[in-house]
Amino acid sequence: MKKKFDINRQGYSIRCLLFCHDRERTAHSFRHVVLVTHGFGSSKDTAGTEHFGEHLTAKYKDYAVIAFDWPCHGADARKKLTVEECLTYLQIVTEYAREELQAEQIYNYSTSLGAYLTLRFLIEQGNPFTRIALRSTAVAIARTMLDRIPEPDQVKLKKGREIQIGFERKMKIDQGFLDSLQNFDLMNYEYFDYAEDILMIHGTQDQMIPLEQAEAFAENNVIRLIPIEEANHPFQNPNHMALAIHEIISFFHP
């Protein structure tokens, strides 16, 4: 079953979606909790997230899944996107899983921007996760974002003005947001201490984050990477998504 709820802490209201096997267990503890984070412009309410949550909790009844909206995404109420608030959201949801659901082990399955934020979280705040699965990791996110901002908007940012970006939902960013991404380049950090507990999955036809970028990061840090033939950045083909989910669940429950 699935249930929407909010985590209200530190002045934030984080929109969440819980998956578990039995409705009666939603108020009880779970030994294993998986956090699911999405990419830029997406939300917790995707077919891929639902497929993952329902498949995992149907197969393993002591697992629960919490998906949540990043700031300015989905049903979130915030209007201006900052890296710092994204990292705060991840911290709060992690603490909720540990304190409220009494999770003994917390896992992380993150996509694109969410994968970047998770890797940054490890360096800045430590690693609370038993295992981490990263799909379509936004390895060079600063350049990826900048390449998709029109030149007139880049000029506005340099002049200290805010601009609107996004897809179906627009959000505000300023130069500080891009500077934060540029100042934390994943390729400048080492993840050897976490490598055994990280799995990367990437599509060979990812036009947003080329496979070569993900392969370079994985090789530098001795992280296992599984390429999915013909898959694009969002894994729109259901067969590609199903294969990725199978690999992730197998990694979380070997």
Side-chain angles (χ1 to χ4, degrees), residues 61-156:
K61 299 177 177 51
D62 56 345
Y63 278 70
V65 173
I66 299 177
F68 64 95
D69 289 328
W70 289 122
C72 308
H73 290 73
D76 186 78
R78 307 194 78 74
K79 304 298 182 185
K80 183 176 178 179
L81 184 63
T82 70
V83 172
E84 292 70 27
E85 287 190 339
C86 288
L87 295 173
T88 298
Y89 273 34
L90 183 53
Q91 176 191 5
I92 290 173
V93 179
T94 301
E95 291 174 350
Y96 179 90
R98 182 184 300 111
E99 296 167 6
E100 301 299 326
L101 298 185
Q102 301 176 36
E104 297 177 19
Q105 294 183 314
I106 303 173
Y107 305 76
N108 180 304
Y109 163 32
S110 291
T111 299
S112 194
L113 170 65
Y116 166 85
L117 292 167
T118 293
L119 288 167
R120 181 163 174 170
F121 188 91
L122 300 186
I123 299 297
E124 295 187 349
Q125 301 193 37
N127 182 18
F129 307 115
T130 300
R131 287 198 163 185
I132 298 167
L134 307 174
R135 180 169 61 81
S136 305
T137 306
V139 176
I141 189 169
R143 174 50 52 190
T144 301
M145 294 283 292
L146 194 61
D147 286 347
R148 284 159 178 76
I149 296 175
E151 183 64 30
D153 282 343
Q154 293 187 33
V155 173
K156 291 179 183 178

Side-chain angles (χ1 to χ4, degrees), residues 3 29 41 71 135 184 195 241 252:
K3 174 186 177 182
S29 63
R135 180 169 61 81
F184 195 100
M241 181 64 79
F252 286 167

Side-chain angles (χ1 to χ4, degrees), residues 157-217:
L157 289 171
K158 292 176 181 177
K159 291 181 177 180
R161 296 165 61 184
E162 296 176 347
I163 65 168
Q164 298 259 6
I165 62 172
F167 302 110
E168 292 184 5
R169 175 177 173 177
K170 301 295 183 181
M171 63 199 80
K172 297 178 183 177
I173 64 165
D174 59 16
Q175 186 63 44
F177 174 75
L178 290 178
D179 289 345
S180 182
L181 297 179
Q182 290 171 334
N183 292 336
F184 195 100
D185 184 341
L186 294 178
M187 297 299 289
N188 293 335
Y189 295 87
E190 294 180 348
Y191 290 86
F192 300 119
D193 291 345
Y194 316 120
E196 276 192 20
D197 299 318
I198 298 177
L199 172 68
M200 293 178 64
I201 294 177
H202 214 92
T204 62
Q205 297 302 312
D206 190 329
Q207 300 300 313
M208 187 170 293
I209 310 292
L211 175 63
E212 293 75 18
Q213 292 181 5
E215 287 178 328
F217 176 80

